[in-house]
Amino acid sequence: MEEVIYINKNLNLIKLILIMFVDAGFFYFGTEYWVLSWIGLSLATVYALKANFKNSFFVGSMAYFLGNANPHNVLPIFVYGSWIFLNAILFGGTLMIFKMAIKRWKSWKTILIFATGVTGYEYIISLFSPHGTVGSIAYTQADNLIVIQVASLVGIWGITFIMTMVAANVALLIEYKSFRNIKQNLLTGSVVMVVILLGLYRLYMPVGEEYVKVGASTVSINLQQYLVVAENKDPEKVNALIQRYIDQIDDLAKVGANYMVLPEKIITITSERDLEKIYEAARRKNICLIIGVSNHDGAAWKNTAFVVSSVGEKTLQYDKQHLQTTFENRYTSGNSIGIFENKGVEICKDMDFTEPSLEYSKQGVGIVFVPALDFHDDAWSHARVAIIRGVEGNFSVVRAAQWGLLSVSDNRGRVLSKIFTDVVEDARIVVQVPVATGNSIYSKIGDLFAWICIVAFVGGGIILLKPQ
């Protein structure tokens, strides 16, 4: 008898570990294939209803943690690991509360407990994390064009909500026969239908009447070469790099580019005189440039993007607002937005946060230019954050990453052009980009929906904790 119990315990442990790794696999590859994230969420909720509280928490938390440890995620694990762990713990905790709710109520209300819980904690983390919103599962849906349109109304929080709502509903359908009727599934079905109709409407409506021809380019350079240039250790190499970019400017101007974006921190400057050759190239080729540099302006270091007009004059200086704390401690953050014409500028990590993007949207910006750097592995996952930010704000995004992607997307999140800079020597793209109108609903109401989720979850939790 004891031997049978021992065997059963081992079998249960093997089953638990197997489910954990299978679910982690869905979350892991969900970074590349959006549908797998839905399956991962559904498997986690189904298991939570079948297992005891301890096992549902352990499996849910560990699967979420391991799945989000994908090196193709937005940031390297050594930078973002603690926040992934916090996300995983809160995910497991929300699964436990979901399980408590179904034991108490056995109704469709439990679906809202899970959906508002995950949405709420993601939002709260975004308010305090130095990495902003990047931990949200919503970004796995960048290729799911129909679903991501809801971000134009309520931000990425609407994407998280619909994903978790469906997952909870699937779990109840599988686990309880009493939920297999129209009444119990009416709420989820209605929300899904609204999201689909909104998505189709936005995807098939015109994006705008004005188009501009935009180029983005980068010069191939490895980390060792980059550090030499970044510290101005070899003037000849700095001048050679500038000349390579001028050659790129000449080439893109020949094919009709009116605007051109270069990556973040391409060189270090101590005054604008260090950019005279690039200013002259802009004037000579009649092209507007957006250039990212390390700007040692007197005593302060700033991560700056200059906008150089087609007559070779600086029209805007934008200083990066959200610095990467691990690598940019010496820099001073900016505190003002950068708008020229009806276009805006942000730098790399700025797009991980909802601001300043929402402010640009409020002011009717139609395109945002983004010099960026990236870390090779995160090429797509970091670009997709900017793509969805464009959907939130109803503007196109042109992003040039030194070690990532050159990407152009419209205000619906459609990728108009992209190229991996790691696989192409001196990569460049030129594409006609629609100038949208900004003024998204989300930019007007802000994070109201996220706060509603928090209030609903807290309210539900209080009721749940009251004795029957």
Side-chain angles (χ1 to χ4, degrees), residues 152 339 346 355-366 368 389-395 437-444:
S152 67
I339 297 178
E346 298 187 42
E355 293 290 358
S357 292
L358 289 186
E359 183 59 34
Y360 288 144
S361 181
K362 288 177 189 175
Q363 298 202 28
V365 165
V368 173
R389 199 99 300 133
V391 178
E392 285 182 337
N394 193 41
F395 49 69
T437 57
N439 289 298
S440 69
I441 292 176
Y442 178 46
S443 73
K444 299 179 187 301

Side-chain angles (χ1 to χ4, degrees), residues 9 11 31 60 82 156 290 346 354 359 378 394 403 414:
K9 283 184 177 179
L11 287 175
T31 298
S82 60
I156 59 169
I290 300 88
E346 298 187 42
T354 56
E359 183 59 34
D378 65 342
N394 193 41
W403 297 309
R414 286 176 289 224

Side-chain angles (χ1 to χ4, degrees), residues 162-403:
I162 189 66
M163 293 177 72
T164 47
M165 189 181 201
V166 168
N169 205 117
V170 167
L172 296 179
L173 277 171
I174 291 174
E175 189 65 14
Y176 300 104
K177 290 183 180 180
S178 59
F179 280 87
R180 296 169 192 173
N181 59 69
I182 294 176
K183 180 181 177 182
Q184 295 286 9
N185 297 276
L186 185 60
L187 177 63
T188 302
S190 299
V191 172
V192 169
M193 186 58 66
V194 169
V195 169
I196 290 173
L197 290 175
L198 171 68
L200 292 173
Y201 172 78
R202 277 182 54 85
L203 289 173
Y204 287 97
M205 286 294 290
V207 295
E209 297 180 357
E210 181 187 356
Y211 282 75
V212 293
K213 201 165 189 177
V214 174
S217 76
T218 183
V219 167
S220 300
I221 185 172
N222 62 36
L223 180 59
Q224 185 178 6
Q225 294 168 329
Y226 176 82
L227 291 175
V228 170
V229 171
E231 298 298 330
N232 274 340
K233 293 179 179 178
D234 189 329
E236 287 187 11
K237 290 183 177 179
V238 173
N239 289 330
L241 183 69
I242 290 173
Q243 186 57 51
R244 289 172 70 187
Y245 273 113
I246 289 173
D247 292 342
Q248 292 270 39
I249 293 167
D250 291 345
D251 291 343
L252 267 65
K254 287 177 183 176
V255 294
N258 306 116
Y259 298 84
M260 181 175 173
V261 189
L262 306 183
E264 177 183 10
K265 294 186 287 192
I266 60 170
I267 60 170
T268 297
I269 68 169
T270 54
S271 74
E272 288 183 49
R273 290 193 301 273
D274 297 328
L275 293 173
E276 283 180 350
K277 291 181 179 179
I278 292 180
Y279 280 30
E280 171 58 24
R283 184 198 63 76
R284 179 168 45 82
K285 292 298 181 179
N286 193 35
I287 187 172
C288 178
L289 303 176
I290 300 88
I291 313 162
V293 298
S294 283
N295 184 11
H296 193 189
D297 182 11
W301 284 86
K302 295 177 182 178
N303 187 336
T304 298
F306 287 115
V307 176
V308 183
S309 72
S310 57
V311 295
E313 297 176 353
K314 183 188 81 173
T315 58
L316 176 70
Q317 175 178 333
Y318 171 81
D319 297 321
K320 187 177 183 180
Q321 296 187 22
H322 300 286
L323 299 170
Q324 172 54 260
T325 53
T326 308
F327 306 112
E328 296 184 319
N329 291 326
R330 71 178 179 180
Y331 291 91
T332 301
S333 61
N335 56 15
S336 60
I337 60 175
I339 297 178
F340 68 104
E341 303 167 4
N342 58 345
K343 301 167 183 68
V345 179
E346 298 187 42
I347 299 175
C348 199
K349 194 173 179 63
D350 287 333
M351 297 295 273
D352 295 349
F353 297 77
T354 56
E355 293 290 358
S357 292
L358 289 186
E359 183 59 34
Y360 288 144
S361 181
K362 288 177 189 175
Q363 298 202 28
V365 165
I367 299 180
V368 173
F369 298 106
V370 188
L373 197 63
D374 290 352
F375 299 98
H376 301 287
D377 284 338
D378 65 342
W380 166 239
S381 59
H382 211 178
R384 72 186 184 187
V385 173
I387 290 167
I388 294 184
R389 199 99 300 133
V391 178
E392 285 182 337
N394 193 41
F395 49 69
S396 298
V397 177
V398 183
R399 189 172 185 273
Q402 178 65 56
W403 297 309

Side-chain angles (χ1 to χ4, degrees), residues 128-147:
F128 298 99
S129 170
H131 310 297
T133 65
V134 297
S136 175
I137 198 169
Y139 293 119
T140 64
Q141 302 303 296
D143 283 329
N144 189 355
L145 292 178
I146 289 178
V147 167

